[in-house]
Amino acid sequence: MNKKITEQFIDDKRRRSYLGVIYNSIYRGKSILIEGDYGVGKSRFLELVKPKKLKLVRLESLDKIHEILAAILEQLNYDVKPAYHLCSRHLKMITSLNDFMIVVDESNDLDPRLWPYFKRIIDAKIPMLFTGLPKVRTYLSNEHPDILSRLKLLILYPLIIDDLIQEYNSSFEAESIEQIYAATGSDLRKFKEICRDCRDKADELKQSKVDINLTLSILSDYIPGCFNYGFDNKK
């Protein structure tokens, strides 16, 4: 079976167009917020963003203010130490630099006190790319509308079933993909996990494709009793 699929990104027209929007924006010094519910593939989508003209700085949203500011400079090859009393100095250093962009995944986990620092960075025409749940936009709308007004909003929706069937058609029967999609409620993370288990089982059984019976047996391991139709179910 073709195991390369696990390393590929399941894309659709919207996601492909978003990449173009992102590159056009960041090269003009604009910042972006990618919004989406749990499991739509925000983190995986970020892995596709690889600007050739800008150095990519990735931040951990759970870090504290002084750690994040120092991390930006460290990734730009500056020898600095994180310290609260150096926050202002580090911010000034960051805003004086160029030719890089900042990526923040899971921005819903950020310390709210970071946003004014990010506003200074955005105003310095340093592009920032955030991903987050819808509550990030709600928070910014209520607490920092001036920051929200500076961000281009892109909403990432769940992939439609036809895209998934086409992407997996070499190793899954269409009915199997439909069943997994329905069972996972369009949660792409869970969808890929179950597909991986199905492929592993198919390899073990030396099946060239994952059929509906194999799929239902795997789904029953995740949620026993919920996906046992298609078998003889004698009571």
Side-chain angles (χ1 to χ4, degrees):
M1 298 185 67
N2 184 5
K3 293 189 176 182
K4 289 185 178 180
I5 292 178
T6 59
E7 304 300 326
Q8 295 174 347
F9 178 71
I10 307 169
D11 69 323
D12 60 2
K13 291 181 180 179
R14 184 184 298 273
R15 283 163 167 76
R16 287 194 293 270
S17 68
Y18 277 3
L19 277 177
V21 171
I22 288 171
Y23 289 131
N24 287 336
S25 297
I26 62 176
Y27 289 141
R28 292 185 290 112
K30 305 296 183 181
S31 295
I32 299 168
L33 170 62
I34 299 175
E35 175 185 299
D37 289 322
Y38 289 109
V40 299
K42 299 185 297 296
S43 298
R44 183 66 186 91
F45 178 73
L46 277 186
E47 295 178 20
L48 296 179
V49 179
K50 300 175 181 179
K52 296 180 179 179
K53 302 176 184 178
L54 297 172
K55 180 176 177 59
L56 204 59
V57 173
R58 296 185 182 273
L59 300 180
E60 171 53 66
S61 59
L62 293 173
D63 284 348
K64 298 177 181 178
I65 297 173
H66 63 295
E67 294 171 330
I68 281 183
L69 294 177
I72 295 172
L73 292 169
E74 288 170 355
Q75 291 185 52
L76 295 173
N77 300 319
Y78 285 85
D79 185 14
V80 297
K81 301 297 181 184
Y84 278 113
H85 71 278
L86 295 176
C87 283
S88 179
R89 179 185 299 178
H90 288 167
L91 179 61
K92 289 178 181 178
M93 289 177 64
I94 293 167
T95 56
S96 69
L97 302 173
N98 51 37
D99 296 330
F100 71 99
M101 70 170 292
I102 298 170
V103 172
V104 186
D105 194 13
E106 304 290 356
S107 58
N108 34 280
D109 293 329
L110 286 167
D111 183 333
R113 295 174 297 176
L114 264 163
W115 286 106
Y117 288 88
F118 287 157
K119 178 177 179 291
R120 302 295 192 281
I121 294 173
I122 292 170
D123 285 347
K125 303 297 183 182
I126 297 169
M128 298 193 69
L129 176 58
F130 302 92
T131 70
L133 298 171
K135 65 181 181 180
V136 175
R137 177 165 42 131
T138 301
Y139 170 77
L140 291 175
S141 178
N142 293 331
E143 303 297 331
H144 298 287
D146 53 334
I147 297 177
L148 184 59
S149 68
R150 289 164 165 77
L151 299 175
K152 185 174 187 63
L153 177 67
L154 300 177
I155 299 178
L156 208 59
Y157 294 99
L159 289 157
I160 61 174
I161 186 64
D162 289 344
D163 293 316
L164 297 170
I165 290 173
Q166 182 177 0
E167 185 69 26
Y168 281 80
N169 65 359
S170 65
S171 55
F172 280 77
E173 293 182 354
E175 191 178 5
S176 296
I177 293 299
E178 291 171 353
Q179 190 61 56
I180 297 170
Y181 185 84
T184 56
S186 75
D187 183 329
L188 185 58
R189 188 179 294 111
K190 182 61 67 177
F191 174 90
K192 293 175 70 175
E193 178 184 345
I194 294 175
C195 285
R196 185 165 53 248
D197 288 348
C198 286
R199 280 196 300 272
D200 289 345
K201 187 64 176 178
D203 285 343
E204 180 184 328
L205 297 174
K206 300 187 184 306
Q207 290 185 200
S208 60
K209 272 197 172 186
V210 175
D211 61 21
I212 187 62
N213 289 327
L214 189 155
T215 299
L216 291 173
S217 70
I218 295 294
L219 287 174
S220 68
D221 291 337
Y222 280 86
I223 312 177
C226 291
F227 304 101
N228 57 1
Y229 52 91
F231 300 99
D232 291 330
N233 188 16
K234 298 179 181 180
K235 295 184 179 180

